[in-house]
């Protein structure tokens, strides 16, 4: 949520920031509403104070045995006025909150305006692999090597689902183990959160109310679309001690998303689905430390991709391609030869105080100053459903086998993936 004081004092700055996202919010209308809301709130407090004063005077007269008829009449009139004013205040408060809830975060000054066409490639690492043989795509390789069962996955759950089998399941688990081990050694606390969350969790993350229809619902809960949604809520409603910051967490969860791909080549295999695995990094930081924390998260994500020996690039997203809750996002993208394109395997984002304000997450300065909102940051560390295709395509060999990145072999994988005898 945006700081309402910022909107009041710097409406032009807010309008310009929102326009970078192509969001044209009616700030003047909100300021009019805000002024009426504050005036009405003041009037309600005045009426409540007057009612307390009259009630106290009535009590005194009763103790003294004096008549209080005129005061009781005044109290009744005041109670009716107060009820009407409180109803009006509640209506104004709902409209006030609805407007604030709908506003996305303001992009940082160095974030380009516009959509994905204005994304900026920050750096490219390595060269795309050059093959002296007809290269194959990840779908055919995964099927021939018995790694992924697309047919039975769809039979079990429908389109957008798959089953890792044999060495494919082992490769998926090795990736997760490798990532978790690296982050734990770096001092991140390992968390296994619930997969079913409440509406308040989605609201704090900035996904609700706007995107409430894009999640899988189970009664009055929803399945988390990313572990970020759970991790940002770990300290909801809390005031942390400045000396405890930064708080660093790493979680593993499946991610459940209603939106899936189509039958286009760019969405085939495990590139896009309703359920996929991801290791997520999250930090609660002091505002003055959040820029450094953002770069540290990016470095962690990029090091993992580089450690797998994969050609990749880092892209800074334009405002319109950045998640509404985030102020700045870098994507780490791997190269997929069959598509001649890059696919995102990590989004590394800084929400500034946007999520903390929605969730009431503050910290108390060590010098005893006024409590302030923390900054929240997250990064995929990493998502696996696009890494497996990248490994298959970038590490394939002329005989149809695939070399396993060396860092994964300690998890029980062979040097080379070969066809296995699995049920047809």
């Amino acid at each position: 949520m945006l700081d309402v004081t910022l909107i009041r004092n710097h409406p032009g700055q807010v309008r310009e920031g929102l326009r970078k996202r192509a969001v044209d919010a009616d700030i003047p209308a909100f300021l009019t509403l805000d002024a009426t809301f504050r005036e009405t709130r003041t009037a309600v407090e005045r009426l409540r104070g007057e009612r307390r004063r009259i009630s106290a005077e009535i009590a005194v007269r009763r103790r003294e045995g004096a008549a209080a008829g005129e005061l009781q009449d005044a109290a009744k009139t005041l109670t009716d006025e107060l009820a009407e004013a409180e109803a009006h205040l509640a209506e104004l408060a709902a409209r006030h909150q609805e407007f604030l809830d709908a506003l996305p975060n303001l992009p940082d000054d160095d974030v380009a305006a516009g959509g994905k066409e204005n994304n900026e490639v920050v750096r490219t690492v390595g060269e795309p692999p050059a093959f002296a043989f007809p290269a194959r795509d990840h779908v055919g390789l995964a099927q021939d090597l018995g790694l992924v069962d697309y047919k039975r996955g769809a039979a079990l759950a429908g389109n957008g689902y798959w089953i890792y089998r044999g060495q494919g399941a082992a490769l998926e688990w090795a990736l997760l183990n490798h990532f978790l081990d690296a982050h734990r050694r770096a001092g991140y606390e390992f968390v296994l959160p619930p997969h079913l969350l409440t509406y308040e969790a989605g609201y704090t993350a900035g996904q609700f109310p706007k995107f409430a229809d894009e999640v899988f619902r189970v009664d009055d809960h929803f399945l988390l679309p990313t572990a970020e949604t759970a991790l940002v809520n770990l300290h909801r409603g809390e005031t942390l001690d400045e000396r405890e910051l930064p708080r660093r967490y790493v979680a593993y969860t499946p991610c459940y998303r209603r939106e899936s791909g189509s039958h286009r080549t760019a969405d085939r295999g495990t590139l896009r689905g309703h359920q996929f695995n991801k290791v997520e990094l999250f930090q609660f930081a002091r505002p003055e430390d959040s820029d450094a924390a953002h770069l540290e998260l990016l470095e962690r994500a990029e090091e993992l991709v580089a450690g797998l020996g994969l050609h990749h690039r880092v892209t800074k997203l334009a405002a319109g391609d950045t998640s509404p809750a985030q102020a700045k996002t870098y994507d780490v993208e791997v190269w997929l030869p069959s598509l001649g394109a890059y696919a995102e395997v990590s989004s590394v984002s800084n929400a500034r105080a946007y999520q903390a304000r929605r969730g009431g997450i503050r910290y108390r300065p060590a010098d005893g100053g006024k409590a302030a909102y923390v900054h929240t940051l997250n990064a995929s560390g990493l998502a696996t459903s696009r890494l497996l295709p990248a490994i298959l395509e970038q590490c394939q060999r002329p005989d149809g086998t695939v070399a396993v990145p060396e860092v994964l072999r300690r998890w029980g994988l062979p040097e080379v993936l070969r066809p296995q005898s699995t049920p047809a």
Side-chain angles (χ1 to χ4, degrees), residues 338-383:
S338 67
L339 301 181
Y342 292 89
E344 173 252 315
V345 294
S346 178
S347 282
V348 185
S349 301
N350 191 340
R352 304 295 179 186
Y354 185 90
Q355 293 174 322
R357 189 171 284 109
R358 293 171 79 96
I361 311 167
R362 298 174 173 86
Y363 74 96
R364 185 179 298 102
D367 63 6
K370 183 180 178 182
Y373 289 107
V374 299
H375 279 196
T376 59
L377 305 98
N378 70 88
S380 313
L382 303 160

Side-chain angles (χ1 to χ4, degrees), residues 116 119-125 298 301-302 305-306 310-317 321 329-336 341-348 382 386-387 390 394:
K116 61 178 61 180
N119 290 351
E120 174 192 348
V121 177
V122 176
R123 58 181 164 273
T124 301
V125 180
L298 176 60
E302 195 176 0
V305 178
L310 298 176
H311 167 59
H312 65 281
R313 73 182 186 185
V314 175
T315 301
K316 184 167 69 173
L317 302 189
D321 200 29
T329 296
Y330 294 99
D331 274 2
V332 181
E333 305 167 324
V334 293
W335 175 252
L336 288 170
Y342 292 89
E344 173 252 315
V345 294
S346 178
S347 282
V348 185
L382 303 160
R386 294 173 182 171
L387 277 175
Q394 291 198 34

Side-chain angles (χ1 to χ4, degrees), residues 69-189:
E70 76 281 5
L71 287 178
Q72 289 173 331
D73 291 341
K76 183 180 183 306
T77 300
L78 193 59
T79 297
D80 292 341
E81 290 180 8
L82 180 58
E84 183 178 347
E86 286 178 332
H88 184 45
L89 179 62
E91 185 267 333
L92 291 172
R95 288 169 51 198
H96 193 270
Q97 191 63 46
E98 182 181 12
F99 185 90
L100 292 174
D101 286 347
L103 294 179
N105 204 347
L106 297 182
D108 281 0
D109 291 341
D110 64 337
V111 172
K116 61 178 61 180
E117 70 279 359
N118 291 331
N119 290 351
E120 174 192 348
V121 177
V122 176
R123 58 181 164 273
T124 301
V125 180
E127 297 292 333
F131 301 107
F133 57 90
R136 305 181 62 198
D137 70 19
H138 58 280
V139 177
L141 286 165
Q143 288 175 325
D144 288 353
L145 294 171
L147 307 178
V148 183
D149 193 331
Y150 304 107
K151 180 179 178 181
R152 288 184 175 86
L156 286 175
N159 291 330
Y161 297 91
W162 55 83
I163 300 172
Y164 294 111
R165 301 185 62 170
Q167 290 183 336
L171 177 57
E172 176 79 357
W173 212 244
L175 286 166
L176 296 170
N177 275 326
H178 174 55
F179 301 155
L180 288 168
D181 184 62
H183 300 316
R184 291 178 67 195
R185 283 189 281 107
Y188 283 74
E189 181 183 342

